[in-house]
Amino acid sequence: MPLTKKEISDIARLARLQLSEAELTLFSSQLSDILEYADRLSQVDLAQADEIAGILPDNAPLRDDIPGSSLSLEQSLGNAASTEGRQFKVPPVLDV
Amino acid sequence: MSSSLLSLGISRAAHLLRSGEISSRDLTQACLEQIESLDGSLHAFLTLTTEEAFFRANRADFFLQQMRKGITPETTSPLLGIPLAIKDVLALSGVRCTCGSRMLETYIPPFTAHAVDKLLADGMVVLGKTNTDEFAMGSTTENSAFGPTRNPWDVARVPGGSSGGSAAAVAAGMAFGALGTDTGGSVRQPAAFCGITGLKPTYGRVSRWGLVAYGSSLDSVGCMARSAEDAALIYASIAGHDPRDSTSHEIPVPGFTPYAENSLKGLRIGLPQEYFLPGMQAEVENAIRSALAVFEKLGAEIVPVSLPHTEYALPAYYLLAPAEASANLARYDGTRYGINRPAAGYIEQFMSSRAAGFGPEVKRRIMLGTYALSAGYYDAYYARAQKARGLIRRDFDQAFQQVDVIAAPVAPTTAYLLGERNKDPLSMYLGDIFTLPANLAGIPAIAFPAGFDSNRLPVGIQLMGHAFAENTLLGMAHAYQQVTLWHRQMPGAANIPEETKEHGL
């Protein structure tokens, strides 16, 4: 079932992607093709399959919590488009 | 002089460096001259680190001099003084790391990736950062925001991807080896397309610390070189435990030793029927079968095996990798790093920055992954793909009870023409069909040259092994390379026309 432009637009909003009209049209056909191909997975007999297959043999080990060096303030802010004092600066998150 | 230097392997170059017949400065100069003359056409590099390269070459020459005087320097690694290239998804402190994306065009990492750090500690001369499909998403390097890399065997063709810049650089003699990354075949497929050797280690064998994340349960840092012996030297440097990557293994890395007299007696090579499909290029299949005959002569036994869930690898991968990518790339919000397109509100700025920073393939995969993970579709797509992944892994476990390695083509065809597949994402994805399973299973695999097609384009063969069997793969590829000459062929500079430098370095 092809994805509608409305569905594509909803996914784009979830993905925080602003898409152009042309991209909406293109992605609705391309994603539909890819998902149709992915539907082959519905033919697999998953009765014998594990719930979620990790690829490590055991759980990932935890390391000891030893304090170490970290990035300086200057390094941390060095790639930001906008900073103020010791902070990253962003536009308002909430309308107040 | 310089062209003969460029065809040396790393171990031979290391020998000549030790004896003092050549210097690291000579090697570095030769690579940079080769880059100067060919890269206007090939566009393998995004950033050159010339000053850093000469600094490290001089330092290596000093260490080599100390060694000749009987003083043990900081490192005596065979990589001391060897010029290598780094795929531009691995951080090198102070040098921009673009990931082939406008998003990170001006991003300067304040740290160095673990794998790069290990090579630097072993004395590598770093030449620069190589081109890649944007965020390593692609199979041709055409998805780079900075223009495609071209295949040194035929500049009308793609070098493969996503580590296409690294592959082209090594094949064309612009570097002695390189780091690539392999999430779905991105080391092995460009290695095959460019006629070099590429090792994708076991998942977790090489730390991912400092690698810009794409699909975190699939990403592997890999080695690209002109022989298995050279790849083994790079692998020995970068493999091992790193507490900064929680998926990094603590199992020690054994040193590489070739099989005595190159005898592969007692080794069993599985041949899976599922990897020989109708419609694949006949010359590819013929090259694989000829290579298997060579392995039989070396003493190995060929055994038919079955990997029955192979056909589900492609749909599973193209749900799981985008799902992981959509989560990993959520960090690019225009705040801490990356392109920023100011807007009135935070969410608006988030969305406009991403619209400006990401190219079409990245947007497509983020969209696909977001859909596969969204409420109502999670079970139908993501959970189902994870279960299929488990079955694919189990197929390998069962096959490796009968055989030591599994042989297969790397890709169904040799290198495509530029533009041939990039209009239709699904047809592009289908080219990855033979490389994805190893990533889904987390197992190591090696690609190396096994012939040429009628257009004189390289054909690669792939050996896959069980977890931590890197040395078996390297040893078998090395034995093959002792009795064949495919890997010794290099594309002549005559193949590569002079072109005005349209891609400024």
Side-chain angles (χ1 to χ4, degrees), chain B residues 72-373:
Chain B
T72 308
E74 266 175 50
T75 172
T76 57
S77 160
L79 297 178
L80 176 60
I82 303 293
L84 302 175
I86 306 296
K87 183 179 181 180
D88 204 17
V89 292
L90 288 154
L92 173 60
S93 181
V95 176
R96 72 172 186 153
C97 184
T98 69
C99 297
S101 181
R102 291 279 168 220
M103 178 59 82
L104 294 177
E105 190 169 5
T106 59
Y107 171 66
I108 312 254
F111 49 78
T112 297
H114 179 81
V116 179
D117 233 359
K118 296 283 276 185
L119 291 174
L120 289 174
D122 280 344
M124 153 183 77
V125 170
V126 58
L127 294 166
K129 307 293 292 290
T130 54
N131 201 5
T132 168
D133 285 297
E134 187 173 359
F135 287 101
M137 297 180 195
S139 315
T140 62
T141 321
E142 291 168 294
N143 294 335
S144 167
F146 307 109
T149 298
R150 289 164 183 269
N151 191 314
W153 292 93
D154 177 354
V155 294
R157 292 178 187 270
V158 301
S162 62
S163 311
S166 286
V170 173
M174 299 192 282
F176 285 79
L179 288 186
T181 59
D182 191 314
T183 304
S186 283
V187 159
R188 290 162 287 155
Q189 184 255 24
F193 279 15
C194 290
I196 63 165
T197 301
L199 174 72
K200 172 228 171 294
T202 307
Y203 177 79
R205 201 45 156 156
V206 179
S207 167
R208 289 178 292 111
W209 198 84
L211 161 65
V212 177
Y214 158 25
S216 300
S217 78
L218 302 152
D219 292 339
S220 312
V221 180
C223 319
M224 307 175 85
R226 288 193 293 266
S227 68
E229 190 183 18
D230 287 359
L233 293 173
I234 299 173
Y235 171 69
S237 174
I238 65 175
H241 182 243
D242 173 16
R244 296 172 299 185
D245 175 356
S246 67
T247 60
S248 157
H249 291 283
E250 295 194 39
I251 301 161
V253 184
F256 170 71
T257 35
Y259 288 103
E261 290 161 22
N262 301 310
S263 168
L264 303 182
K265 226 177 193 72
L267 286 171
R268 291 158 68 90
I269 300 177
L271 195 59
Q273 69 208 24
E274 292 86 358
Y275 282 68
F276 293 87
L277 304 171
M280 70 187 269
Q281 194 177 328
E283 292 162 307
V284 171
E285 180 167 351
N286 293 342
I288 305 301
R289 301 217 182 260
S290 303
L292 291 170
V294 173
F295 278 113
E296 275 187 304
K297 278 195 191 140
L298 291 169
E301 188 188 344
I302 313 292
V303 182
V305 290
S306 178
L307 299 165
H309 296 92
T310 299
E311 64 171 305
Y312 302 114
L314 189 87
Y317 177 88
Y318 277 100
L319 292 170
L320 296 174
E324 295 185 15
S326 72
N328 275 326
L329 273 63
R331 72 191 63 183
Y332 300 104
D333 62 352
T335 300
R336 291 157 297 162
Y337 36 66
I339 216 169
N340 174 278
R341 288 285 177 271
Y346 173 68
I347 299 292
E348 288 72 21
Q349 177 168 298
F350 200 153
M351 294 182 75
S352 60
S353 298
R354 289 159 72 81
F358 292 142
E361 183 62 27
V362 173
K363 289 179 183 169
R364 195 154 37 237
R365 292 198 197 187
I366 290 175
M367 292 284 290
L368 194 54
T370 304
Y371 183 74
L373 289 173

Side-chain angles (χ1 to χ4, degrees), chain B residues 458-492:
Chain B
V459 179
I461 182 174
Q462 173 177 218
L463 297 178
M464 295 175 267
H466 59 78
F468 309 111
E470 284 85 357
N471 282 349
T472 305
L473 301 178
L474 288 162
M476 292 182 76
H478 176 69
Y480 177 82
Q481 291 179 340
Q482 296 311 294
V483 296
T484 56
L485 290 171
W486 306 118
H487 67 294
R488 300 281 289 274
Q489 314 250 352
M490 286 177 74

